[in-house]
Amino acid sequence: MEAVVPPEISTELTQILSNLVLGDNEIRASAEKAVNERLAHTPELYLLALAQFAITADTEVMRSFSLVLLRRLLFRPAPTASSQPNPPGARQTLYDHLSNQTLATLERLLLFSLSHETSSNVRRKTVDTICDLANQGMMRGRPWHALQAQAFAMTHSNPSQQSEQSAPAVLQRESAHRIFAGCPNLVMDLQIDAVLGVFQRGLKDQENIEVRHAALLASVAFLSAADPTQLAQSISLMSPMLDTLSDLSSSLSQPPLGSSSSSPKTSNYHYLSTFLSTLTPLCSTHPILFAPHLQSLLSLLPSLILPPVDCGPTPTVSRPFPTGGGRQGAFVFPPPSNPDGDEDAASSPVDDDEERDERSTLRLSALEFVISLSEARPNMVRKVSGWTEVIVRACLEGMGEFDEDETTGLDAWLREDPSTSSSSAETDSPPALYEQSLDRLACAMGGKSILPPAFQYIPSMMVSFDWRVRHAGLMAIAAIGEGTGKVMQKELQTIVDMVTPMFNDSHPRVRYAACQCVGQLCTDLEEIIQQRFHRNLFAVLIPALEDPEPRVHAHAASALINFCEGVERDTLLPYLDPIVERLLKLLNPPGDHTQVRRYVQEQAITTLAMVADASEVTFAKHYPTIMPLLLSVLRNADGPDYRKLRVKAMECAGLIAHYYIAIAVGPDVFRPDSTTLIELLMRIQQSPVDPNDTQLGHYLMATWAKICQAMGSEFEAYLPVVMPSLLATASAKADLSVYEEGDDALEEREGWETIVMDGHTYGVRTSAMDEKCQAFETLVIYCSTLGARFAPYLSQTLEVTLPCLRFYFHEGVREACAMLIPMLLACGKQSGTLTNQMVSATFLQLINCISTEHDSTFLASLYKYFSEALAVIGGPEALSAQFHDGIIEATKRQLHALADKRKARAARAASNAADFDRDEMALVEEMEDFALEDMAKMLAGFDHNHPLLVAVSGVRDLGFNTYDSDEDGDEES
């Protein structure tokens, strides 16, 4: 192909790209700077050079890299020379600055690469770049007819018709379907029969499994993008799509279609997993398409989701629970033969492990497929006899398949510190994934569908000789509790009688699972199980606190937290002393303290705090024993290993101070300890900041707030200690990242929340926003507790609070600020420090926020706290005419807006009743009703016969009737 850029440009670009892939940071940074400079001045030339380099580069790595770079550069914001300001309005990308001639040349180069590139890896990058270019062009009204024609021609490609320089026919067919998958709009306006014919031919490709997979991707993309009319005409596509699954399942032991000795090592297990994962999103978005095929799926899926029928290794006295490669029996007839005597011909342990992993992945992929379909349309699959039963059985089987040696696996588990170990290691293990699937299935299908098949197996599992099966039975009960709660209540006596004996099981992991089961049931059946079976559960949970294994007695303490969250105080009191006695032994055990597990102490303190909260003032008698222990922990728990223990002790001390010292033992008893506790907190707060200790700030704020509530007015002396850091946290700006379209960081960054505002996508660091919200909530506590004594910080706090009424990144911040405003005005009025400027600034901001607020929930809060603020300054008579007129105009504006919303909603419900979510709209209107109610209260405060009260009633009456639906609810869970 002829060069489209001068040779010197190509040479320069080759050097720049070579530098970009080097490991030297300095050279790479210099190359990045060079790229940005060239793109700022001559973008068209260098983008074309990149596309040309993707064809001419000698190595696959450089051709791939140039395509990836081209794709990223085309649609990032266009750089400008320093003398050129950015134009106002929507963001412009480099693509938007290219001339039609340049775009045509760029498209021609990419199509040439698509036709002639022989490397499958590079072709994937070419396809990705072409799809981005096509999609973005269509969004801007630029169709790509040449791509459409070439892609269709490539689907018919065969070796007899291609030229010597063209890419292999198989690769061309695969790429064509991948283009249709990445850019379905290319085929959406064509004749349905022609499109379906192309996809069906690809799904039945006789030469290569990758072509079939690409055709399946294209089919799923087409059906996902189709409108209802197109979907109705495309139903016939489902049969060949699902036939790919049955074809693969019947040839699992054979090599993949089109594979060769030089192909990467793959198997049909891998491809069947991939095909199922490709179809799974369609289960969630268009489950009805699978309705005619459920029976055939049911005949196929059991062999995929159930374990192979194999007795496995023979148990012996020394190995009662053997595990082994592929679950192969110890005796095989006929014996495996190797006539050539070639030891290398036998499969290696590595190969066996790979095959076992592929089989496990296939089972989980098939399970995800059926679970997604069941979640999307439970009533549809509920009608298929045997559907739920086989999935439940598959989940129960999988939950008992721990792939670990009995002795070494248990020892490692007992030594592990659950507070520091990776949670993903457990939650991503196959047994945990089967457990999560059972939980999802129960939530989707309900108790009437799940409990009968589950309890066909669970009772026998609980008495199995294999600890793994007993463990699975307990975890299964815990998993289905949430989704089957209403029906499970009727069988709760049977379940409790089944679970409680397992606390005496010989295996520690089974006892751990019993704690997990009871704790989860206490959450899922909150108050019900505590009220009816507290004697049975306390009888096993309290002794479990003395279990010989630390992981078990720590988990028993954790289960007690769940129990106490739903227990009545009078129910807990008879058991309070033995619980506290055992928890204190866990916190401060006799003997060698070097052998104490820190996570046990952390859990004991956490449980003590919850028990104290549940038992209220009765817990006060344990104050003399517990508080010195907590102070000792705070005094001695230094260093990074003790971070969690220290903050848990801090939390528990603050909670005890809040609930019991102020109420029961009195401030005189607390005063000596309060001095010690405050000194320790001050020492912790003033110590050097550890950037890895992300929890300390949260717990310090919470503990200071509890101490303030316990000490009352005496806490005034410590405001200079706590207020500077608190105001700094409250005034912190949002930690933002601006995301570009298609930015990978959108999905990869943990601890960040994505929001869209004014057409831009932002990432907000949630931990910083949560701390800001907590800071304002703490200010609410300080101001409400201290009243006029908070006056020295009134001006600074008001200055920080008023702007944050518009802090749209966190609703909790706005709510806390609105609540704080009348308290600050009351503080100023009581202390005589409230100025006219403060009052004017406050009401101006409140009225402006009311006028422009779109969130009905926060609008209700604004009206509520406006009324409270008005009462503080002396009622409507104290409000100036300017602000009186302002709030009335703002209210009229909101009434008009709410009326328009309700009229539009009613029209949408009338015109499109089938797709109208009445429950969701009912919730929206309920929030609006709260706003209207608070609006009416404010207006009545001005005048009980205010003319706008009629308008409020009229807007409320515009809401549609949410109770006239004939639709039946979901099955009782």
Side-chain angles (χ1 to χ4, degrees), residues 222 287 426 481 614 625 650 710 791 840 859:
F222 172 75
E426 288 193 8
T625 309
M650 202 183 297
S840 297
L859 183 63

Side-chain angles (χ1 to χ4, degrees), residues 229-417:
T229 303
Q230 290 171 320
L231 272 180
Q233 297 172 339
S234 308
I235 291 177
S236 61
L237 186 59
M238 288 299 296
S239 291
M241 289 170 67
L242 296 176
D243 285 345
T244 61
L245 303 181
S246 55
D247 290 345
L248 280 169
S249 66
S250 62
S251 57
L252 287 174
S253 59
Q254 301 172 14
L257 182 66
S259 65
S260 64
S261 57
S262 62
S263 300
K265 214 170 171 186
T266 54
S267 70
N268 280 336
Y269 287 103
H270 163 77
Y271 280 109
L272 184 49
S273 299
T274 304
F275 278 48
L276 284 163
S277 299
T278 301
L279 280 166
T280 298
L282 200 63
C283 294
S284 300
T285 58
H286 295 79
I288 196 64
L289 293 175
F290 295 86
H293 308 279
L294 289 178
Q295 205 61 53
S296 59
L297 284 172
L298 184 60
S299 64
L300 167 70
L301 291 169
S303 63
L304 302 182
I305 63 176
L306 291 171
V309 180
D310 184 353
C311 297
T314 302
T316 64
V317 173
S318 60
R319 293 189 71 214
F321 311 114
T323 59
R327 300 177 67 87
Q328 178 61 53
F331 302 100
V332 180
F333 186 86
S337 60
N338 187 9
D340 298 330
D342 183 3
E343 293 298 326
D344 293 337
S347 63
S348 68
V350 174
D351 291 337
D352 289 342
D353 288 343
E354 286 182 0
E355 182 179 345
R356 187 163 65 248
D357 289 344
E358 286 183 341
R359 288 177 182 237
S360 175
T361 301
L362 173 57
R363 283 177 62 191
L364 289 167
S365 299
L367 187 63
E368 179 62 29
F369 175 87
V370 294
I371 294 290
S372 297
L373 193 55
S374 303
E375 286 179 316
R377 193 61 72 94
N379 286 331
M380 178 180 76
V381 300
R382 198 178 279 129
K383 298 172 184 175
V384 181
S385 177
W387 180 276
T388 306
E389 289 79 358
V390 73
I391 303 176
V392 169
R393 182 187 162 196
C395 292
L396 294 175
E397 294 265 14
M399 288 171 65
E401 295 174 3
F402 287 90
D403 189 16
E404 61 183 37
D405 184 84
E406 166 64 13
T407 304
T408 58
L410 177 60
D411 289 344
W413 182 82
L414 291 174
R415 289 195 305 270
E416 186 179 56
D417 182 347

Side-chain angles (χ1 to χ4, degrees), residues 16-17 69 140 538 556 586 600 610 612 625 666 686 725-726 776 941 952 964:
I16 291 174
L17 293 180
L69 191 59
R140 293 162 169 81
F538 274 131
L586 298 183
V600 174
M610 177 54 69
T625 309
Q686 293 165 4
S725 61
L726 189 63
F776 278 110
V952 171
D964 59 357

